[in-house]
Amino acid sequence: MSETASPWYEAAFDREYLDIYAHRDAADAARALAFLEREKVVRPGHRVLDLCCGNGRHSLPLCRAGHLVTGFDLSQALLFDFRARAGCAISLVRGDMRALAFRDQAFGAVLSLFTSFGYFEDDDENWGVLREIVRVLVPGGTFCLDFLNASRVRAGLRPHSERTLASGLRVVEDRLIDPERRRVIKRVALERNGRTIRRWEESVRLFTRDELDSAATRAGLSGLRAFGDFDSSPALETSPRLILIGRAAVAR
């Protein structure tokens, strides 16, 4: 009897993930926090849900700035690291973003940062995440989606790269676009002393802005605004990111 392979997102976000993305540091998170406050995504007194919070790169500065933060993630390894360094009153919950373990209208803002969306092969499941987000938002509450810019990814994909981390680990990454599935795929291998010690794959759906706008509207978000980066620049085909902000309907 053959075993069904686990979804990529159940294996990818382990302790090594933090080493590989160490360049996404406190300064990077500070830019995001400044944007969230400037664009009034997070407001004093509102509860904030950091969806796919990882080890707290965004949750911790939000908490230290006085916001009431709940972190939610599937990865036990990343949540363990989060708890070990928290030093701030944050509630942490482990779970699947397709079924948020919170009551209706529990949060004034929900954040999905650093391309933590589009993981699922079935688009209905990805759109279901948006419906769950709207469900847990108070009327008029704000959702911010920080996503990759599909146009820029398609135009500038780097097929292969290699680098050595401070720990001595060698990171080998191969990237491709699957045109039929409309996904960008990254295959990662970690090497130590010339020997591969771990492999995994990351796979994200290449949603266009129109697709995301339409899905967000169907889910119950309105007043959508789009930005190209955390400096509040406009969303263009060449922008580094695609950041969408919308509000849950007041009357539901």
Side-chain angles (χ1 to χ4, degrees):
M1 181 183 296
S2 62
E3 295 185 2
T4 302
S6 298
W8 71 267
Y9 47 82
E10 292 185 5
F13 301 107
D14 209 337
R15 185 62 186 81
E16 291 89 350
Y17 172 86
L18 298 176
D19 295 328
I20 290 173
Y21 288 99
H23 58 290
R24 301 293 187 178
D25 56 12
D28 187 69
R31 290 181 64 240
L33 175 57
F35 170 84
L36 295 170
E37 292 182 331
R38 182 171 62 249
E39 300 301 335
K40 296 181 171 53
V41 175
V42 293
R43 299 167 185 254
H46 284 190
R47 292 187 65 202
V48 179
L49 174 61
D50 186 3
L51 194 58
C52 302
C53 64
N55 74 330
R57 183 161 60 93
H58 299 102
S59 294
L60 287 172
L62 280 165
C63 180
R64 290 167 185 152
H67 298 287
L68 306 173
V69 183
T70 296
F72 185 91
D73 205 284
L74 183 63
S75 169
Q76 288 182 316
L78 298 189
L79 288 175
F80 180 84
D81 189 84
F82 193 154
R83 290 188 180 95
R85 69 192 195 95
C88 198
I90 297 178
S91 173
L92 297 180
V93 179
R94 181 172 183 260
D96 190 313
M97 69 176 106
R98 291 168 290 188
L100 298 177
F102 307 105
R103 61 176 173 80
D104 294 357
Q105 302 182 13
F107 298 96
V110 177
L111 314 176
S112 176
L113 305 175
F114 195 44
T115 308
S116 299
F117 185 76
Y119 288 0
F120 308 113
E121 288 283 343
D122 186 341
D123 280 352
D124 285 342
E125 291 189 282
N126 292 310
W127 304 145
V129 173
L130 292 180
R131 291 191 293 272
E132 274 290 271
I133 287 166
V134 172
R135 179 184 66 78
V136 301
L137 277 171
V138 299
T142 309
F143 172 52
C144 179
L145 173 65
D146 163 37
F147 197 61
L148 54 76
N149 180 351
S151 297
R152 178 160 169 154
V153 169
R154 291 182 186 278
L157 189 71
R158 187 179 179 189
H160 180 83
S161 64
E162 299 186 20
R163 55 197 169 100
T164 301
L165 305 179
S167 63
L169 281 177
R170 185 77 175 161
V171 183
V172 181
E173 297 171 313
D174 291 290
R175 305 170 187 85
L176 60 92
I177 291 175
D178 185 325
E180 291 187 3
R181 295 159 63 206
R182 293 191 292 168
R183 301 182 74 86
V184 58
I185 297 167
K186 179 163 68 174
R187 294 176 178 136
V188 185
L190 292 185
E191 299 176 354
R192 187 183 295 280
N193 299 325
R195 184 173 64 88
T196 300
I197 60 173
R198 188 168 175 238
R199 296 180 185 272
W200 72 88
E201 180 175 291
E202 300 172 14
S203 172
V204 175
R205 175 76 153 80
L206 287 170
F207 287 122
T208 66
R209 177 179 171 182
D210 285 346
E211 286 176 313
L212 291 172
D213 280 350
S214 177
T217 300
R218 291 196 307 271
L221 293 166
S222 62
L224 293 170
R225 295 182 289 151
F227 302 88
D229 205 350
F230 288 122
D231 59 2
S232 297
S233 56
L236 306 173
E237 287 199 354
T238 55
S239 296
R241 313 288 300 163
L242 174 59
I243 304 172
L244 296 179
I245 296 174
R247 295 195 180 278
V250 174
R252 289 190 248 165

